[in-house]
Amino acid sequence: MTTSVWEESTDCRGGTPIFNDRESTPPMPTQRKEKYLPDFIIGGAMKCGTSSMHAILSSREDVFIPEGEVHFFTLGDPIQSPETVKFDPERTVFNLNDEKKVEWYRSFFEGADSDQLIGEDSTTYLSSRVAPERIRELLPDVKLIFMLRNPVDRSLSHYRHLVMSGRATKTFEQTLVHDSSNLHLRSFYKPQLERYFRLFLRDQVKVVLFERFVEETQTVIDEVCSYLGFSDSIDLKEVETHANASWYPRWPKTYFAINYLLKGKMDRYRHHWPGDPSEYHTSDISFKERLLRSLLIRLRRRLPKQDSYPSMDDSLQERLTRLYARKNRGIGNLVEANVGKYWPFD
């Protein structure tokens, strides 16, 4: 099994009846710039090269993508944005009639010039049940880019991200047993793509396989630039093509212990969502607790790291492959890509 890989890129132009049959969308850009709304969205999947795609497209002077993920269309989604469930509903409920929330979303794009194509990058959108209809309601002409990867590799890389960000306190195998919901869910691509194909035109959805992105990066970027309506592409000889590189702790048990001690003491989105933090967020803690938290974070940062991580047990890899093959059966036909060239199923 590979653990570091960038396939077939397709705009999903199959004749399958799941697609929306509205007339073709006009060329990009499609949104009115005075409203500061995206013309395209990189919507996932997580750990499939979306950060690299973001960085490469942002290197164009005629493209604007804000730093970081916005997660507007999963606001209040308890599955894909679970940190919102402890917040007051008024702050995190999704409501397009609430002008303050829409203005908050627009504020991420106010740095764009009138002649720039505006993009957004939020990896929770593909796997969310609520995001497709929300995106369709606000941005009916938006172009969507989804990146997929061998789901077994994706889940392992996702776990690695949870370790890095302080949210994993167990091994990969233990996490799959005790807290596997999103590790699995974000690798069930086929039903998630079908939700988008029911709501958007065929030429509004671009699917890129991560493995081909790695092998043929320039060709894939040429295709994506053409899909977005550009007459020229990006010369990757002058651009950093690998963003958000990951790592794994050399002493994982020590790292897990620190993550466990910090659990419940971090509030990463306290200042992200619209409105002001309230008592529903992480409560104020004593000076002693703040000092302990600070020391633990500093210690964790100083722990030695390594680029590689332990290989997966063969029996576990086989079980996961069977699971993901069943959940993604027929995905190659769905996206009209040679998935079987890179994945152990198609």
Side-chain angles (χ1 to χ4, degrees):
M1 183 195 68
T2 56
T3 56
S4 178
V5 286
W6 307 66
E7 168 177 4
E8 188 78 8
S9 177
T10 174
D11 53 4
C12 306
R13 297 175 183 271
T16 171
I18 67 168
F19 290 117
N20 186 292
D21 60 358
R22 293 187 295 125
E23 295 181 358
S24 295
T25 185
M28 301 285 281
T30 59
Q31 309 299 330
R32 291 164 50 190
K33 285 298 185 295
E34 64 268 23
K35 287 192 173 183
Y36 297 109
L37 291 172
D39 299 295
F40 69 92
I41 292 174
I42 304 170
M46 181 183 178
K47 308 310 295 181
C48 295
T50 56
S51 294
S52 295
M53 180 65 73
H54 176 147
I56 293 170
L57 293 177
S58 291
S59 70
R60 296 187 63 111
E61 293 184 355
D62 49 4
V63 169
F64 177 89
I65 308 176
E67 291 295 326
E69 299 190 19
V70 182
H71 302 299
F72 177 63
F73 294 105
T74 50
L75 188 66
D77 183 339
I79 305 301
Q80 298 307 323
S81 296
E83 66 281 346
T84 64
V85 300
K86 64 180 179 181
F87 299 164
D88 52 299
E90 288 304 313
R91 188 179 184 201
T92 58
V93 68
F94 183 87
N95 181 6
L96 290 180
N97 293 320
D98 185 340
E99 189 60 26
K100 289 184 178 179
K101 286 192 173 66
V102 178
E103 285 300 322
W104 173 81
Y105 183 53
R106 289 176 182 147
S107 70
F108 286 91
F109 314 106
E110 290 178 350
D113 294 332
S114 60
D115 59 347
Q116 284 183 303
L117 209 63
I118 298 177
E120 186 204 338
D121 170 17
S122 292
T123 57
T124 55
Y125 293 166
L126 175 59
S127 51
S128 172
R129 287 184 174 274
V130 299
E133 291 188 1
R134 292 174 173 184
I135 295 172
R136 176 72 179 85
E137 184 176 358
L138 183 64
L139 307 171
D141 298 318
V142 74
K143 293 226 171 182
L144 301 161
I145 299 172
F146 295 121
M147 303 184 71
L148 312 181
R149 180 182 188 176
N150 177 343
V152 179
D153 291 345
R154 195 220 66 80
S155 292
L156 183 57
S157 185
H158 186 166
Y159 164 75
R160 188 175 179 174
H161 171 79
L162 295 178
V163 174
M164 293 163 49
S165 59
R167 286 173 286 175
T169 60
K170 303 178 180 68
T171 66
F172 179 55
E173 292 82 356
Q174 291 169 337
T175 301
L176 286 174
V177 171
H178 299 289
D179 188 23
S180 63
S181 57
N182 261 334
L183 283 181
H184 285 322
L185 182 61
R186 294 193 185 184
S187 290
F188 296 164
Y189 310 133
K190 186 170 181 279
Q192 297 163 7
L193 286 169
E194 288 175 340
R195 287 196 287 266
Y196 279 92
F197 291 156
R198 291 188 183 100
L199 294 172
F200 293 91
L201 297 171
R202 303 178 192 183
D203 62 359
Q204 285 182 261
V205 181
K206 180 77 171 176
V207 177
V208 176
L209 294 192
F210 170 84
E211 290 80 1
R212 183 172 177 246
F213 186 38
V214 172
E215 289 186 359
E216 304 177 48
T217 311
Q218 183 66 68
T219 301
V220 171
I221 291 300
D222 294 346
E223 294 167 357
V224 170
C225 286
S226 176
Y227 164 72
L228 293 178
F230 295 115
S231 59
D232 61 333
S233 187
I234 302 168
D235 184 357
L236 297 184
K237 295 177 182 177
E238 303 176 358
V239 178
E240 175 57 54
T241 60
H242 190 190
N244 196 25
S246 58
W247 46 264
Y248 194 75
R250 189 166 296 169
W251 302 335
K253 290 184 179 180
T254 304
Y255 212 88
F256 295 156
I258 295 175
N259 286 351
Y260 180 81
L261 291 171
L262 288 170
K263 209 167 186 179
K265 296 181 173 61
M266 308 295 290
D267 199 341
R268 298 185 307 136
Y269 289 94
R270 182 181 179 88
H271 298 288
H272 176 74
W273 303 114
D276 298 319
S278 72
E279 68 274 10
Y280 292 92
H281 291 259
T282 300
S283 57
D284 291 335
I285 58 178
S286 67
F287 172 77
K288 184 183 295 185
E289 289 177 308
R290 288 199 302 271
L291 179 60
L292 175 61
R293 181 176 64 182
S294 176
L295 290 174
L296 287 171
I297 293 173
R298 291 184 183 184
L299 174 59
R300 189 174 63 183
R301 288 173 180 167
R302 291 177 178 273
L303 290 176
K305 302 173 178 63
Q306 55 189 5
D307 294 333
S308 61
Y309 50 99
S311 59
M312 191 186 305
D313 177 81
D314 289 344
S315 63
L316 175 60
Q317 182 174 345
E318 183 180 348
R319 293 196 303 273
L320 290 178
T321 298
R322 288 201 304 267
L323 170 66
Y324 296 144
R326 185 170 68 251
K327 293 294 185 179
N328 291 296
R329 183 177 292 118
I331 192 168
N333 291 331
L334 177 66
V335 302
E336 292 192 338
N338 187 11
V339 172
K341 179 180 179 181
Y342 301 97
W343 302 359
F345 60 85
D346 57 10

